[in-house]
Amino acid sequence: MHNDILKVLVSEEELQNKIKELGNQITEDYKDKNLLLVSVLKGSVVFMADLMRAINLKCRIDFMSVSSYGSGTKTSGTVKIIKDLDIDIRGYDLLIVEDILDSGMTLSYIKKILMDREPKSIKICTLLDKPERRQVEDIKADYKGFIIPDEFVVGYGLDYDEMYRNVSYIGALKPEVYNK
Ligand code: IMP
Ligand code: MG
């Protein structure tokens, strides 16, 4: 598995340090709020698992799953709800936890449908941000881990064709892996 990785972009240690920072900031910002962490499956599960334990507050978690990509590395332009939230979000301060903000289409869509359900507030926390790839201009992350260049990355929850999610750092794949 590690043989398919060309280079490490964000190491395990850098990830853990950044998550501590984000957790402290969120703990401070949400101390008088009714926090509900919403993880967007599957890419954000690893980030979610670490981030929620870095937040020192009573809070709730929920999951939703949408699909915007097939097995390739480019957006298909359509977003579909595969699994909706279990919790009625009215009155909650939502923090959407995402793996990566790329074109922005997924988050823009999720934010819009969740807004219609009248939560008290919605903010976005993304581990990675690829600003060069943005197509939806009005979507911004309130909390972000790392800004990365326009390169397809895997690991720490992120996949290529559903693989490499269990790699514990963020890395770029060797080109020959895509061309197999
Ligand atoms: P967006 O709708 O283009 O912003 O895409 C967001 C989703 O695309 C993320 O939640 C990821 O699942 C996927 N994605 C975008 N860039 C990458 C990448 O570099 N590696 C793996 N998945 C990616
Ligand atoms: Mg994905």
Side-chain angles (χ1 to χ4, degrees):
M1 176 173 75
H2 297 282
N3 283 340
D4 292 350
I5 309 285
L6 179 71
K7 62 175 186 234
V8 178
L9 266 105
V10 189
S11 71
E12 267 188 89
E13 195 189 348
E14 289 171 309
L15 285 165
Q16 294 310 322
N17 289 338
K18 183 62 79 178
I19 287 161
K20 264 188 218 125
E21 248 175 61
L22 288 170
N24 289 341
Q25 188 62 54
I26 293 165
T27 301
E28 180 60 29
D29 295 350
Y30 282 84
K31 59 174 183 272
D32 301 317
K33 299 206 156 94
N34 191 13
L35 177 60
L36 173 63
L37 295 168
V38 169
S39 158
V40 184
L41 295 170
K42 303 168 203 170
S44 74
V45 282
V46 184
F47 179 40
M48 176 75 158
D50 283 342
L51 182 68
M52 63 194 250
R53 287 175 292 174
I55 298 171
N56 187 19
L57 287 176
K58 286 204 273 186
C59 64
R60 293 181 172 87
I61 67 167
D62 205 350
F63 296 89
M64 72 185 295
S65 178
V66 300
S67 92
S68 57
Y69 281 63
S71 60
T73 60
K74 291 265 148 62
T75 183
S76 66
T78 48
V79 179
K80 197 168 78 190
I81 295 188
I82 309 290
K83 184 222 170 286
D84 208 336
L85 298 174
D86 298 329
I87 298 177
D88 177 356
I89 62 176
R90 206 173 301 237
Y92 282 103
D93 293 294
L94 249 64
L95 185 59
I96 301 173
V97 178
E98 249 289 37
D99 52 357
I100 188 164
L101 181 52
D102 189 36
S103 72
M105 293 209 292
T106 310
L107 271 175
S108 143
Y109 175 82
I110 291 175
K111 200 174 174 185
K112 195 163 76 224
I113 57 159
L114 295 183
M115 286 273 234
D116 290 343
R117 301 180 190 177
E118 300 179 339
K120 213 147 131 221
S121 66
I122 299 192
K123 285 192 173 175
I124 290 170
C125 177
T126 186
L127 178 65
L128 304 175
D129 186 9
K130 268 189 207 168
E132 285 168 49
R133 299 247 317 153
R134 200 79 79 251
Q135 285 174 37
V136 183
E137 288 305 329
D138 65 341
I139 197 88
K140 273 226 291 282
D142 302 281
Y143 303 92
K144 76 177 89 156
F146 302 91
I147 294 174
I148 60 163
D150 180 10
E151 247 181 292
F152 194 80
V153 295
V154 297
Y156 201 72
L158 290 122
D159 72 301
Y160 171 66
D161 198 12
E162 296 298 333
M163 271 189 295
Y164 308 105
R165 295 193 195 276
N166 58 324
V167 170
S168 51
Y169 50 86
I170 305 274
L173 283 175
K174 291 179 181 165
E176 59 259 37
V177 178
Y178 304 115
N179 303 328
K180 255 181 209 158

